Amino acid sequence: MTSLDRRLDRLAREHDGLITRTHAAARQLSPNVLRAAVRDGLLHRIRPGLFVTGERWRAARAHERYTLTVRGILLSHPDWIGSHHAALALAGLPLFDVDLGVVDVVAPVKASKVRPGLHIHVATPGQLVRVAEGSPRTVTVAEACVLTAAASGFDAGVVAMDAALARSLSTKAGLRTALELPGARFGVASARAAIEAADPKAESPGETRTRLILIEAGLQVRSQVSIEDSDGLVGRVDFLVGDRVIVEFDGLVKYEGADGKLALAREKSREDRLRAAGFRVVRVTWAELAHPDRVVRRVRRELASAA
């Protein structure tokens, strides 16, 4: 490892692989040195003045790259705080149907600004107080969920809200209070509808999407229902549609190794008991959620057969 590599490595370790031009200059690493490191693959340039180690970037998935970008932007601007789905990413909440090419922040500015890949919003007095007090560098989870719903739409908002409610990171009352934010004004109808549709029983974004598809089709859906047969409790199912059709979201967990085979055997036994008790089971995958009409047709067929 060269001397340059060691200097970059020490600097990168301070911020989980992130390096800003300002921090580099403080260590006598010139812009030319950074450009050479990018050319050699030692660094990846996220945006002007912001870099991450090439190894860290190449190993990261899309949502991880987005989170790195958010953290890097906040690292470069100590008086900015993450907002909208940028705040969701930092809170570890799911991102669905949002633009991963845009980072929203709130800042002590007099007017909002739009730059390539960056939206700067006017911070409220309460948000500025959070920064001054050393609170987390994001708006509250409730604010992030509502602003995401307002800007990115109903589905994006419900996925985030379901997760936030399930993890007790927010309440419906807190979400409704966040509707009063100036930033939610132009999408308030979408945000309000998302709050009413949110369900803390959802255990994954896939379940949320499945539920929304079924409800939009006009089907009667109950979430996380416990089913019993003559031998007792069979288990809790994701959704019960009507009285006899069970819909389960399958995240395609790989049943590998001894533990996986045991889990698969238990799942088959459970489903056999459900069918023996007179229920019909529809399994839905992420790939199928991309075609909502197909999912609805399958469920309706089972409803008709059950009738």
PDB file of all heavy atoms in Angstrom, residues 79-103:
ATOM      1  N   ASP A  79     -25.038  22.253   8.785  1.00  0.00           N
ATOM      2  CA  ASP A  79     -26.283  22.899   9.198  1.00  0.00           C
ATOM      3  C   ASP A  79     -27.490  22.416   8.391  1.00  0.00           C
ATOM      4  O   ASP A  79     -28.576  22.978   8.478  1.00  0.00           O
ATOM      5  CB  ASP A  79     -26.178  24.422   9.120  1.00  0.00           C
ATOM      6  CG  ASP A  79     -25.812  24.920   7.731  1.00  0.00           C
ATOM      7  OD1 ASP A  79     -25.424  24.100   6.879  1.00  0.00           O
ATOM      8  OD2 ASP A  79     -25.912  26.144   7.492  1.00  0.00           O
ATOM      9  N   TRP A  80     -27.325  21.365   7.606  1.00  0.00           N
ATOM     10  CA  TRP A  80     -28.438  20.768   6.866  1.00  0.00           C
ATOM     11  C   TRP A  80     -28.909  19.514   7.583  1.00  0.00           C
ATOM     12  O   TRP A  80     -28.129  18.849   8.275  1.00  0.00           O
ATOM     13  CB  TRP A  80     -28.019  20.381   5.453  1.00  0.00           C
ATOM     14  CG  TRP A  80     -27.730  21.531   4.533  1.00  0.00           C
ATOM     15  CD1 TRP A  80     -27.714  22.856   4.841  1.00  0.00           C
ATOM     16  CD2 TRP A  80     -27.380  21.433   3.143  1.00  0.00           C
ATOM     17  NE1 TRP A  80     -27.386  23.599   3.732  1.00  0.00           N
ATOM     18  CE2 TRP A  80     -27.188  22.756   2.674  1.00  0.00           C
ATOM     19  CE3 TRP A  80     -27.229  20.370   2.256  1.00  0.00           C
ATOM     20  CZ2 TRP A  80     -26.834  23.020   1.350  1.00  0.00           C
ATOM     21  CZ3 TRP A  80     -26.888  20.625   0.944  1.00  0.00           C
ATOM     22  CH2 TRP A  80     -26.691  21.956   0.500  1.00  0.00           C
ATOM     23  N   ILE A  81     -30.187  19.177   7.426  1.00  0.00           N
ATOM     24  CA  ILE A  81     -30.696  17.916   7.972  1.00  0.00           C
ATOM     25  C   ILE A  81     -31.511  17.198   6.898  1.00  0.00           C
ATOM     26  O   ILE A  81     -32.161  17.822   6.061  1.00  0.00           O
ATOM     27  CB  ILE A  81     -31.525  18.117   9.257  1.00  0.00           C
ATOM     28  CG1 ILE A  81     -32.780  18.940   9.003  1.00  0.00           C
ATOM     29  CG2 ILE A  81     -30.694  18.779  10.325  1.00  0.00           C
ATOM     30  CD1 ILE A  81     -33.658  19.073  10.239  1.00  0.00           C
ATOM     31  N   GLY A  82     -31.449  15.874   6.928  1.00  0.00           N
ATOM     32  CA  GLY A  82     -32.133  15.067   5.933  1.00  0.00           C
ATOM     33  C   GLY A  82     -33.635  15.169   6.071  1.00  0.00           C
ATOM     34  O   GLY A  82     -34.192  15.278   7.162  1.00  0.00           O
ATOM     35  N   SER A  83     -34.318  15.124   4.925  1.00  0.00           N
ATOM     36  CA  SER A  83     -35.766  15.231   4.918  1.00  0.00           C
ATOM     37  C   SER A  83     -36.345  14.253   3.910  1.00  0.00           C
ATOM     38  O   SER A  83     -35.625  13.580   3.173  1.00  0.00           O
ATOM     39  CB  SER A  83     -36.182  16.665   4.573  1.00  0.00           C
ATOM     40  OG  SER A  83     -37.589  16.831   4.656  1.00  0.00           O
ATOM     41  N   HIS A  84     -37.677  14.149   3.860  1.00  0.00           N
ATOM     42  CA  HIS A  84     -38.363  13.286   2.920  1.00  0.00           C
ATOM     43  C   HIS A  84     -37.785  11.861   2.978  1.00  0.00           C
ATOM     44  O   HIS A  84     -37.518  11.366   4.059  1.00  0.00           O
ATOM     45  CB  HIS A  84     -38.276  13.879   1.511  1.00  0.00           C
ATOM     46  CG  HIS A  84     -38.984  15.196   1.354  1.00  0.00           C
ATOM     47  ND1 HIS A  84     -38.605  16.330   2.027  1.00  0.00           N
ATOM     48  CD2 HIS A  84     -40.036  15.563   0.577  1.00  0.00           C
ATOM     49  CE1 HIS A  84     -39.393  17.346   1.705  1.00  0.00           C
ATOM     50  NE2 HIS A  84     -40.274  16.896   0.825  1.00  0.00           N
ATOM     51  N   HIS A  85     -37.580  11.228   1.814  1.00  0.00           N
ATOM     52  CA  HIS A  85     -37.090   9.843   1.852  1.00  0.00           C
ATOM     53  C   HIS A  85     -35.607   9.758   2.184  1.00  0.00           C
ATOM     54  O   HIS A  85     -35.111   8.680   2.515  1.00  0.00           O
ATOM     55  CB  HIS A  85     -37.414   9.088   0.561  1.00  0.00           C
ATOM     56  CG  HIS A  85     -36.846   9.660  -0.692  1.00  0.00           C
ATOM     57  ND1 HIS A  85     -37.391  10.762  -1.330  1.00  0.00           N
ATOM     58  CD2 HIS A  85     -35.797   9.268  -1.460  1.00  0.00           C
ATOM     59  CE1 HIS A  85     -36.688  11.022  -2.429  1.00  0.00           C
ATOM     60  NE2 HIS A  85     -35.716  10.138  -2.521  1.00  0.00           N
ATOM     61  N   ALA A  86     -34.893  10.881   2.156  1.00  0.00           N
ATOM     62  CA  ALA A  86     -33.505  10.873   2.647  1.00  0.00           C
ATOM     63  C   ALA A  86     -33.500  10.592   4.144  1.00  0.00           C
ATOM     64  O   ALA A  86     -32.649   9.847   4.656  1.00  0.00           O
ATOM     65  CB  ALA A  86     -32.834  12.212   2.355  1.00  0.00           C
ATOM     66  N   ALA A  87     -34.463  11.155   4.852  1.00  0.00           N
ATOM     67  CA  ALA A  87     -34.572  10.905   6.289  1.00  0.00           C
ATOM     68  C   ALA A  87     -35.010   9.469   6.560  1.00  0.00           C
ATOM     69  O   ALA A  87     -34.568   8.846   7.523  1.00  0.00           O
ATOM     70  CB  ALA A  87     -35.556  11.892   6.920  1.00  0.00           C
ATOM     71  N   LEU A  88     -35.887   8.941   5.708  1.00  0.00           N
ATOM     72  CA  LEU A  88     -36.293   7.545   5.862  1.00  0.00           C
ATOM     73  C   LEU A  88     -35.094   6.619   5.741  1.00  0.00           C
ATOM     74  O   LEU A  88     -34.948   5.655   6.493  1.00  0.00           O
ATOM     75  CB  LEU A  88     -37.335   7.167   4.808  1.00  0.00           C
ATOM     76  CG  LEU A  88     -38.683   7.879   4.841  1.00  0.00           C
ATOM     77  CD1 LEU A  88     -39.565   7.360   3.710  1.00  0.00           C
ATOM     78  CD2 LEU A  88     -39.370   7.698   6.182  1.00  0.00           C
ATOM     79  N   ALA A  89     -34.230   6.913   4.763  1.00  0.00           N
ATOM     80  CA  ALA A  89     -33.043   6.074   4.549  1.00  0.00           C
ATOM     81  C   ALA A  89     -32.162   6.075   5.788  1.00  0.00           C
ATOM     82  O   ALA A  89     -31.666   5.022   6.215  1.00  0.00           O
ATOM     83  CB  ALA A  89     -32.261   6.585   3.338  1.00  0.00           C
ATOM     84  N   LEU A  90     -31.949   7.229   6.386  1.00  0.00           N
ATOM     85  CA  LEU A  90     -31.102   7.307   7.573  1.00  0.00           C
ATOM     86  C   LEU A  90     -31.747   6.626   8.777  1.00  0.00           C
ATOM     87  O   LEU A  90     -31.048   6.161   9.682  1.00  0.00           O
ATOM     88  CB  LEU A  90     -30.797   8.774   7.896  1.00  0.00           C
ATOM     89  CG  LEU A  90     -29.931   9.509   6.875  1.00  0.00           C
ATOM     90  CD1 LEU A  90     -29.705  10.951   7.311  1.00  0.00           C
ATOM     91  CD2 LEU A  90     -28.591   8.807   6.676  1.00  0.00           C
ATOM     92  N   ALA A  91     -33.086   6.559   8.780  1.00  0.00           N
ATOM     93  CA  ALA A  91     -33.789   5.895   9.878  1.00  0.00           C
ATOM     94  C   ALA A  91     -33.898   4.395   9.657  1.00  0.00           C
ATOM     95  O   ALA A  91     -34.422   3.670  10.506  1.00  0.00           O
ATOM     96  CB  ALA A  91     -35.186   6.490  10.040  1.00  0.00           C
ATOM     97  N   GLY A  92     -33.416   3.919   8.507  1.00  0.00           N
ATOM     98  CA  GLY A  92     -33.491   2.495   8.213  1.00  0.00           C
ATOM     99  C   GLY A  92     -34.878   2.037   7.822  1.00  0.00           C
ATOM    100  O   GLY A  92     -35.196   0.843   7.913  1.00  0.00           O
ATOM    101  N   LEU A  93     -35.722   2.964   7.362  1.00  0.00           N
ATOM    102  CA  LEU A  93     -37.076   2.617   6.938  1.00  0.00           C
ATOM    103  C   LEU A  93     -37.095   2.314   5.444  1.00  0.00           C
ATOM    104  O   LEU A  93     -36.258   2.815   4.689  1.00  0.00           O
ATOM    105  CB  LEU A  93     -38.036   3.761   7.272  1.00  0.00           C
ATOM    106  CG  LEU A  93     -38.301   3.937   8.770  1.00  0.00           C
ATOM    107  CD1 LEU A  93     -39.024   5.237   9.053  1.00  0.00           C
ATOM    108  CD2 LEU A  93     -39.101   2.755   9.309  1.00  0.00           C
ATOM    109  N   PRO A  94     -38.044   1.506   4.995  1.00  0.00           N
ATOM    110  CA  PRO A  94     -38.042   1.074   3.589  1.00  0.00           C
ATOM    111  C   PRO A  94     -38.343   2.215   2.620  1.00  0.00           C
ATOM    112  O   PRO A  94     -39.153   3.103   2.906  1.00  0.00           O
ATOM    113  CB  PRO A  94     -39.139   0.003   3.551  1.00  0.00           C
ATOM    114  CG  PRO A  94     -40.033   0.327   4.700  1.00  0.00           C
ATOM    115  CD  PRO A  94     -39.139   0.874   5.771  1.00  0.00           C
ATOM    116  N   LEU A  95     -37.685   2.153   1.479  1.00  0.00           N
ATOM    117  CA  LEU A  95     -37.895   3.119   0.404  1.00  0.00           C
ATOM    118  C   LEU A  95     -38.587   2.399  -0.738  1.00  0.00           C
ATOM    119  O   LEU A  95     -38.076   1.414  -1.274  1.00  0.00           O
ATOM    120  CB  LEU A  95     -36.564   3.691  -0.075  1.00  0.00           C
ATOM    121  CG  LEU A  95     -35.655   4.308   0.990  1.00  0.00           C
ATOM    122  CD1 LEU A  95     -34.382   4.840   0.341  1.00  0.00           C
ATOM    123  CD2 LEU A  95     -36.374   5.420   1.749  1.00  0.00           C
ATOM    124  N   PHE A  96     -39.747   2.892  -1.119  1.00  0.00           N
ATOM    125  CA  PHE A  96     -40.475   2.302  -2.237  1.00  0.00           C
ATOM    126  C   PHE A  96     -41.006   3.405  -3.143  1.00  0.00           C
ATOM    127  O   PHE A  96     -41.602   4.385  -2.673  1.00  0.00           O
ATOM    128  CB  PHE A  96     -41.641   1.441  -1.735  1.00  0.00           C
ATOM    129  CG  PHE A  96     -42.494   0.887  -2.849  1.00  0.00           C
ATOM    130  CD1 PHE A  96     -42.071  -0.222  -3.576  1.00  0.00           C
ATOM    131  CD2 PHE A  96     -43.689   1.501  -3.194  1.00  0.00           C
ATOM    132  CE1 PHE A  96     -42.838  -0.715  -4.626  1.00  0.00           C
ATOM    133  CE2 PHE A  96     -44.459   1.015  -4.238  1.00  0.00           C
ATOM    134  CZ  PHE A  96     -44.038  -0.099  -4.959  1.00  0.00           C
ATOM    135  N   ASP A  97     -40.777   3.250  -4.436  1.00  0.00           N
ATOM    136  CA  ASP A  97     -41.306   4.169  -5.446  1.00  0.00           C
ATOM    137  C   ASP A  97     -40.879   5.614  -5.188  1.00  0.00           C
ATOM    138  O   ASP A  97     -41.657   6.551  -5.360  1.00  0.00           O
ATOM    139  CB  ASP A  97     -42.839   4.072  -5.483  1.00  0.00           C
ATOM    140  CG  ASP A  97     -43.416   4.508  -6.830  1.00  0.00           C
ATOM    141  OD1 ASP A  97     -42.672   4.469  -7.829  1.00  0.00           O
ATOM    142  OD2 ASP A  97     -44.600   4.894  -6.880  1.00  0.00           O
ATOM    143  N   VAL A  98     -39.629   5.779  -4.771  1.00  0.00           N
ATOM    144  CA  VAL A  98     -39.061   7.117  -4.573  1.00  0.00           C
ATOM    145  C   VAL A  98     -37.873   7.284  -5.525  1.00  0.00           C
ATOM    146  O   VAL A  98     -37.338   6.312  -6.043  1.00  0.00           O
ATOM    147  CB  VAL A  98     -38.605   7.335  -3.116  1.00  0.00           C
ATOM    148  CG1 VAL A  98     -39.792   7.295  -2.170  1.00  0.00           C
ATOM    149  CG2 VAL A  98     -37.569   6.288  -2.711  1.00  0.00           C
ATOM    150  N   ASP A  99     -37.486   8.511  -5.743  1.00  0.00           N
ATOM    151  CA  ASP A  99     -36.376   8.818  -6.650  1.00  0.00           C
ATOM    152  C   ASP A  99     -35.057   8.763  -5.888  1.00  0.00           C
ATOM    153  O   ASP A  99     -34.742   9.668  -5.108  1.00  0.00           O
ATOM    154  CB  ASP A  99     -36.589  10.209  -7.269  1.00  0.00           C
ATOM    155  CG  ASP A  99     -35.569  10.528  -8.356  1.00  0.00           C
ATOM    156  OD1 ASP A  99     -34.614   9.745  -8.543  1.00  0.00           O
ATOM    157  OD2 ASP A  99     -35.733  11.575  -9.023  1.00  0.00           O
ATOM    158  N   LEU A 100     -34.288   7.717  -6.124  1.00  0.00           N
ATOM    159  CA  LEU A 100     -33.003   7.576  -5.440  1.00  0.00           C
ATOM    160  C   LEU A 100     -31.936   8.481  -6.043  1.00  0.00           C
ATOM    161  O   LEU A 100     -30.790   8.474  -5.586  1.00  0.00           O
ATOM    162  CB  LEU A 100     -32.534   6.120  -5.475  1.00  0.00           C
ATOM    163  CG  LEU A 100     -33.419   5.113  -4.741  1.00  0.00           C
ATOM    164  CD1 LEU A 100     -32.791   3.719  -4.784  1.00  0.00           C
ATOM    165  CD2 LEU A 100     -33.659   5.537  -3.298  1.00  0.00           C
ATOM    166  N   GLY A 101     -32.313   9.250  -7.027  1.00  0.00           N
ATOM    167  CA  GLY A 101     -31.385  10.211  -7.597  1.00  0.00           C
ATOM    168  C   GLY A 101     -31.512  11.598  -6.992  1.00  0.00           C
ATOM    169  O   GLY A 101     -30.801  12.523  -7.392  1.00  0.00           O
ATOM    170  N   VAL A 102     -32.404  11.744  -6.021  1.00  0.00           N
ATOM    171  CA  VAL A 102     -32.643  13.051  -5.395  1.00  0.00           C
ATOM    172  C   VAL A 102     -32.531  12.937  -3.879  1.00  0.00           C
ATOM    173  O   VAL A 102     -33.102  12.031  -3.275  1.00  0.00           O
ATOM    174  CB  VAL A 102     -34.032  13.610  -5.764  1.00  0.00           C
ATOM    175  CG1 VAL A 102     -34.325  14.891  -4.991  1.00  0.00           C
ATOM    176  CG2 VAL A 102     -34.125  13.869  -7.261  1.00  0.00           C
ATOM    177  N   VAL A 103     -31.805  13.860  -3.285  1.00  0.00           N
ATOM    178  CA  VAL A 103     -31.704  13.962  -1.825  1.00  0.00           C
ATOM    179  C   VAL A 103     -32.394  15.245  -1.392  1.00  0.00           C
ATOM    180  O   VAL A 103     -32.084  16.331  -1.897  1.00  0.00           O
ATOM    181  CB  VAL A 103     -30.232  13.974  -1.357  1.00  0.00           C
ATOM    182  CG1 VAL A 103     -30.150  14.252   0.146  1.00  0.00           C
ATOM    183  CG2 VAL A 103     -29.559  12.648  -1.687  1.00  0.00           C
TER     184      VAL A 103
END
